[in-house]
Amino acid sequence: MIPEGPSPVTSSPLQFFPWMSPSPGIGSPFPWLWELKPEERGLWLIRLLVACANHVAAGSLENANIGLEQISQLASPDGDTMQRIAAYFTEALANRMLKAWPGLHKALNSTKISSVPDEILVQKLFFELCPFLKLAYIITNQAIVEAMEGEKMVHIIDLNSCEPAQWINLFQTFSARPEGPPHLRITGIHEQKEVLEQMALRLTEEAEKLDIPFQFNPIVCKLENLDLESLRVKTGEALAVSSVLQLHSLLATDDEVPRRNFNSPPVSKTRVLQMTQRTFGEWLEKEPAHIYNPSSDIASSPSSLAPAPKMGSFLAALRALSPKVMVVTEQESNHNGPTLMERVIEALNFYAALFDCLESTVSRAPIERQKVEKMLFGEEIKNIIACEGGERKERHEKLEKWILRLELAGFGRVPLSYHGMLQAGRLLQTNNYDGYKMKEENGCLVMCWQERPLYSISAWGFRR
């Protein structure tokens, strides 16, 4: 236990650790940092990150700057798990600080180029390096196959159409049906035309090989701008909807946060600094709530579901299309809290587990792993921490909230396919994905790293 002292809002992070003096030294202003053992370094990085985030939340930029300087001595995008996480969290915190000077922030970001090929590549790398998307596609496809048994015309709406591998697997299953494959139409939604063009090309090639009557209907738009009339659902079609890591972005359209709410109250020191001499991995596994317990916050309770009329309208409109099944995959974490500190602590726990599973699966050197961490996880972290209002798209919520939202929109839960879960289990076993687990929860499926839930999958049908 760290002894009580000055408030973390008004004091430097160093005042938490009076025995650590920032006296100048050769090569580093904080020479004591280099004396830490690896297991100690992880704990100090967490403490420094939370203290720094408290200063950012309180608008104490001078103290936050001191904290960032300390953390930069330990963080590294190619170090161990905690060093890598710290590198991206400090970047996100610094980005949020820079927004206090809009001109400076815009100038530093004015020449950044968003590359569609890079976006496609990083999604493919995540698919290949971690099993989560593979599992989601297996479960989704099997739910669709079973819902479409006996149907001759099938229409699938893909709310995030970017990975051909999902539907190629479905094509193969449909082609093996005793009665032959159905006439299949996929409506793919994505904001990048190039992504949809590649999807159409790859899927059309595969459908021709398997002799499946197929049509791809591309819709280039952001999900929040989708006109449901453009889906062109025809009479006689059996409809399915697939949403993989996409629905949460709609919550941004319901949130225009006033500037006065940009900062948030700090987390008290007694709640965040109750860590002993355990390593970070042990601490995270055994005491994930000790740093900050979001359940004590009303905003994190499922019963306090924030009003989201646009999300509600979108789900109700989908329900009005009468889909036989809708399968939803989402991140299993609450990154949509109203305060910065809620989101920082939730994100630290969530992304620590993601970085840890990559650490166990892929060695540190490969550029592919660094691209996933920087271009995917790092950008998500930055959006969760540095952005507010409509700009904050990564509004991940837990399964319990999605259950409430979908039921309010008129959907009813559909049991997930037992055969699909068997297939997913075999994937983990045959590919030696040690440490990855699946758990059933409320009739839905939760994908975990060790015991930490990371993604949820749920299936829904329209209630008459």
Side-chain angles (χ1 to χ4, degrees):
M1 174 77 82
I2 302 299
E4 284 295 311
S7 163
V9 181
T10 58
S11 61
S12 159
L14 289 175
Q15 290 180 274
F16 292 156
F17 328 119
W19 50 273
M20 294 180 171
S21 169
S23 57
I26 297 175
S28 168
F30 310 115
W32 56 266
L33 293 170
W34 297 103
E35 300 171 6
L36 295 176
K37 296 176 182 178
E39 61 271 19
E40 295 171 334
R41 180 178 60 212
L43 288 173
W44 286 120
L45 273 170
I46 297 171
R47 295 178 177 191
L48 290 169
L49 276 170
V50 175
C52 182
N54 262 318
H55 289 306
V56 174
S60 179
L61 300 188
E62 183 178 352
N63 284 328
N65 181 61
I66 294 172
L68 290 176
E69 189 176 3
Q70 288 180 282
I71 297 166
S72 68
Q73 304 298 315
L74 299 174
S76 170
D78 55 6
D80 61 28
T81 297
M82 196 57 224
Q83 286 179 300
R84 296 165 97 100
I85 293 168
Y88 294 109
F89 272 81
T90 51
E91 183 180 3
L93 288 168
N95 196 278
R96 186 180 178 100
M97 290 166 65
L98 273 177
K99 289 187 176 183
W101 296 276
L104 181 61
H105 183 266
K106 288 177 183 176
L108 288 173
N109 290 277
S110 62
T111 58
K112 288 188 176 179
I113 300 173
S114 177
S115 167
V116 174
D118 282 346
E119 291 177 13
I120 297 172
L121 172 64
V122 75
Q123 288 289 342
K124 192 168 292 293
L125 288 174
F126 180 50
F127 171 77
E128 292 171 354
L129 295 180
C130 294
F132 300 117
L133 289 180
K134 295 186 184 79
L135 295 172
Y137 294 159
I138 288 172
I139 299 293
T140 298
N141 287 357
Q142 193 58 36
I144 292 174
V145 166
E146 294 182 10
M148 299 301 164
E149 187 174 351
E151 297 289 351
K152 294 181 179 179
M153 296 178 64
V154 174
H155 183 183
I156 299 171
I157 298 171
D158 184 357
L159 298 183
N160 185 28
S161 192
C162 63
E163 180 49 69
Q166 175 179 7
W167 304 125
I168 289 172
N169 175 269
L170 184 70
F171 286 2
Q172 293 165 350
T173 305
F174 273 148
S175 70
R177 290 203 317 185
E179 69 273 28
H183 185 286
L184 180 61
R185 187 154 68 101
I186 293 180
T187 295
I189 301 157
H190 199 279
E191 59 185 286
Q192 299 288 354
K193 182 180 179 182
E194 185 178 340
V195 172
L196 292 174
E197 287 174 346
Q198 291 192 24
M199 286 286 291
L201 179 64
R202 185 72 183 88
L203 293 180
T204 301
E205 287 176 351
E206 192 67 24
E208 288 175 353
K209 287 180 188 175
L210 297 169
D211 197 24
I212 295 177
F214 173 69
Q215 180 185 358
F216 187 78
N217 176 35
I219 299 179
V220 183
C221 76
K222 294 182 178 180
L223 193 59
E224 62 262 32
N225 299 326
L226 178 65
D227 176 9
L228 293 182
E229 292 294 323
S230 65
L231 298 176
R232 297 184 296 181
V233 178
K234 300 175 183 178
T235 303
E237 286 183 330
L239 183 65
V241 180
S242 169
S243 176
V244 178
L245 309 182
Q246 191 64 17
L247 275 184
H248 63 260
S249 64
L250 287 174
L251 291 168
T253 63
D254 283 307
D255 184 13
E256 292 299 330
V257 177
R259 290 293 297 179
R260 61 186 172 82
N261 289 338
F262 189 76
N263 293 319
S264 56
V267 178
S268 82
K269 182 171 60 177
T270 57
R271 293 171 74 189
V272 300
L273 298 180
Q274 295 178 349
M275 288 178 286
T276 63
Q277 295 304 311
R278 294 190 181 119
T279 66
F280 172 67
E282 291 171 333
W283 167 81
L284 184 66
E285 181 180 350
K286 297 178 182 177
E287 299 186 63
H290 275 198
I291 199 166
Y292 174 65
N293 186 0
S295 64
S296 63
D297 246 272
I298 293 176
S300 297
S301 168
S303 61
S304 66
L305 196 64
K310 290 182 181 178
M311 169 67 83
S313 297
F314 181 84
L315 293 176
L318 281 181
R319 186 257 174 223
L321 296 175
S322 303
K324 292 195 75 173
V325 69
M326 179 167 78
V327 189
V328 176
T329 301
E330 281 291 333
Q331 288 88 345
E332 182 63 6
S333 193
N334 181 30
H335 297 145
N336 195 25
T339 69
L340 172 63
M341 289 310 302
E342 269 190 271
R343 302 200 302 269
V344 166
I345 302 307
E346 283 280 352
L348 270 173
N349 279 276
F350 180 80
Y351 287 99
L354 271 180
F355 275 69
D356 194 39
C357 72
L358 269 183
E359 175 87 2
S360 73
T361 309
V362 188
S363 62
R364 294 180 190 176
I367 190 68
E368 292 82 7
R369 172 180 163 180
Q370 293 181 13
K371 283 184 176 180
V372 169
E373 291 176 344
K374 179 174 177 59
M375 298 166 61
L376 184 60
F377 300 160
E379 288 302 308
E380 289 177 359
I381 291 167
K382 190 185 298 182
N383 189 267
I384 291 166
I385 291 173
C387 299
E388 294 291 351
E391 190 183 11
R392 181 160 58 84
K393 303 292 186 185
E394 301 298 338
R395 294 172 174 266
H396 312 148
E397 292 192 335
K398 291 190 175 183
L399 177 61
E400 55 197 6
K401 288 196 175 184
W402 287 114
I403 289 173
L404 280 177
R405 292 192 190 283
L406 287 156
E407 288 180 344
L408 285 171
F411 285 95
R413 262 177 281 180
V414 174
L416 287 169
S417 164
Y418 177 71
H419 182 60
M421 288 192 274
L422 285 179
Q423 283 182 291
R426 280 198 296 269
L427 173 78
L428 293 180
Q429 290 177 349
T430 56
N431 291 278
N432 296 318
Y433 281 122
D434 296 331
Y436 295 90
K437 300 179 181 180
M438 297 184 300
K439 296 179 181 178
E440 191 173 352
E441 185 176 304
N442 295 321
C444 308
L445 192 69
V446 176
M447 297 179 283
C448 308
W449 167 247
Q450 304 297 356
E451 301 302 320
R452 175 57 161 97
L454 291 176
Y455 298 93
S456 67
I457 309 175
S458 56
W460 301 84
F462 73 99
R463 288 200 301 256
R464 296 186 185 274

